[in-house]
Amino acid sequence: MITKEEQKRYQRQILMLGEAGQERLKAARVLLAGAGGLGTVISVYLAAAGVGTLRIADCDSVEASNLNRQILHWGRDIGRPKTASAAEKLAALNSLIRVEEVAGRIDEGNIDAIAGDCDLIVDAMDNFPTRYLLNRTALRKGIPFIHGAVRGLYGQATTVLPGKTPCLRCIFPGSPPPEIFPIVGATCGVIGSIEATEAVKLLTGLGEPLAGRLIIWDGMAATADSIVVERNPACPDCGRSAQGKET
Amino acid sequence: MKVVFRTFADFREVIGAREQELSLPEGETVGGLLKGLRKGHPRPQEKPFDASGDVKTSIIILKNGRNIEFRQHPDTIIATDDAISVFPPVAGG
Ligand SMILES: [Zn+2]
């Protein structure tokens, strides 16, 4: 049930989601993997929208070089764990939701405990090996998975619906070479907002998900395109060979 | 044969077009197509090209929506009406 206080707070989105949609957001538990450039943007919008439980995982502490883009981490937070820094601000933004901190590295050993009971997994990572782990977990548990990534003024996003769409590994079979990537904070705003939009849609059933399509945002030219992507029958994570292992 | 060639991000800057129809010889490979691009570009030492002027092997190439894994399969054959999409890897968060 939506309380009087919630009716007031979420009035402008209840206009389109209805109280039933708002209740779905309230009942949802979302894993946000990463509290960096993308994670801080996504978490602000999901917290503000009233997602009932936001579980935020990150293993890093705030550094000065994060502050050009990681909007929940401020000058005074340098040296603090990113999860604590983010959770404090999100709690101040919306005390009606629950923010859970997972301060540590996501790995094979803990991913089931971290993600297993979530309705949605949102990718805000900065590396592909961890993204593949999230992707595999999403496939195994049948949890929708929203991917996003950024570099410079470019970004990309897609929504993986297990069993229905290509998985992340179908589209990107190999990790790009690691690098200290250039980035302007506003690019995280664009892609993080696309991911947050997808999350609200998936949780409430609104609209058409970004499923089977990869959006490519080009901030240099100020254009957005989407490419239809196909499943790879030989995909190590969702293809035929993976079926026996993973289900 | 005619194929659709779509470029994104820094490839689009280099090529100067979002989508074009190319006329290629039968049996052309993706690697061959990209070598041709390098010839047509006056300053290959930038963006998607490496120091020797070759297209970086980390590039993402989708043929009809499927990643061809260019690093391992530059000799992937292109067929009539294929749609080839080319973009750089993006991995940050
Ligand atoms: Zn797959």
Side-chain angles (χ1 to χ4, degrees):
Chain A
M1 277 296 287
I2 296 295
T3 63
K4 276 254 151 31
E5 188 181 8
E6 287 164 338
Q7 272 172 351
K8 229 186 225 163
R9 182 178 189 110
Y10 305 121
Q11 181 204 11
R12 299 294 287 271
Q13 65 191 45
I14 288 174
L15 287 175
M16 61 183 301
L17 302 177
E19 288 200 10
Q22 192 62 50
E23 276 172 34
R24 283 192 205 114
L25 291 181
K26 184 179 178 179
R29 182 182 290 122
V30 172
L31 171 62
L32 188 55
L38 290 173
T40 52
V41 171
I42 299 163
S43 62
V44 165
Y45 282 118
L46 295 188
V51 168
T53 306
L54 261 185
R55 183 175 295 163
I56 302 180
D58 200 294
C59 63
D60 288 330
S61 295
V62 178
E63 295 174 30
S65 65
N66 300 148
L67 303 182
N68 80 318
R69 63 194 185 282
Q70 302 185 10
I71 56 171
L72 281 185
H73 310 313
W74 304 341
R76 64 169 161 86
D77 298 313
I78 290 172
R80 288 177 80 192
K82 287 186 182 177
T83 44
S85 164
E88 179 203 328
K89 277 65 160 232
L90 295 169
L93 167 63
N94 190 348
S95 60
L96 303 181
I97 65 159
R98 206 179 137 85
V99 180
E100 299 177 346
E101 301 169 40
V102 180
R105 198 171 290 281
I106 296 174
D107 60 30
E108 294 279 356
N110 61 22
I111 184 68
D112 280 6
I114 294 172
D117 58 347
C118 289
D119 301 294
L120 183 63
I121 300 174
V122 183
D123 166 20
M125 296 308 306
D126 60 358
N127 69 86
F128 265 80
T130 312
R131 286 186 172 104
Y132 291 143
L133 178 58
L134 297 172
N135 179 62
R136 283 198 301 277
T137 304
L139 293 170
R140 202 175 62 236
K141 305 267 183 192
I143 303 171
F145 173 53
I146 300 169
H147 159 71
V150 288
R151 185 182 194 281
L153 295 189
Y154 302 134
Q156 65 188 29
T158 191
T159 293
V160 174
L161 302 177
K164 293 188 184 145
T165 67
C167 79
L168 189 66
R169 199 78 181 269
C170 291
I171 310 172
F172 301 106
S175 295
E179 63 166 353
I180 295 183
F181 60 96
I183 182 72
V184 168
T187 306
C188 301
V190 173
I191 299 299
S193 295
I194 290 174
E195 292 190 79
T197 304
E198 283 299 292
V200 169
K201 283 162 59 188
L202 285 174
L203 294 173
T204 59
L206 203 69
E208 277 297 314
L210 181 57
R213 288 180 296 136
L214 179 72
I215 274 197
I216 299 184
W217 162 247
D218 178 344
M220 287 281 194
T223 56
D225 289 272
S226 81
I227 311 182
V228 172
V229 285
E230 302 288 343
R231 273 184 93 169
N232 174 8
C235 174
D237 289 354
C238 78
R240 228 161 268 139
S241 65
Q243 302 290 300
K245 285 188 299 217
E246 298 282 11
T247 52
Chain B
M1 63 177 179
K2 297 257 184 281
V3 303
V4 175
F5 186 56
R6 301 179 78 194
T7 53
F8 301 88
D10 50 15
F11 278 91
R12 185 172 293 172
E13 285 176 52
V14 166
I15 308 290
R18 175 187 202 137
E19 180 172 315
Q20 50 192 154
E21 195 179 75
L22 298 182
S23 194
L24 300 178
E26 292 292 332
E28 178 63 291
T29 63
V30 172
L33 165 63
L34 295 180
K35 275 217 176 72
L37 289 185
R38 167 192 164 186
K39 277 192 206 116
H41 182 62
R43 285 169 302 162
Q45 271 77 19
E46 57 181 51
K47 304 247 161 116
F49 302 96
D50 65 20
S52 60
D54 291 322
V55 171
K56 289 177 185 162
T57 55
S58 56
I59 178 188
I60 314 278
I61 302 180
L62 305 185
K63 187 176 97 157
N64 304 328
R66 281 262 196 92
N67 194 314
I68 67 161
E69 300 185 67
F70 178 64
R71 193 192 306 269
Q72 291 93 347
H73 306 291
D75 49 0
T76 300
I77 307 254
I78 305 173
T80 297
D81 294 332
D82 276 353
I84 307 290
S85 303
V86 178
F87 50 99
V90 169

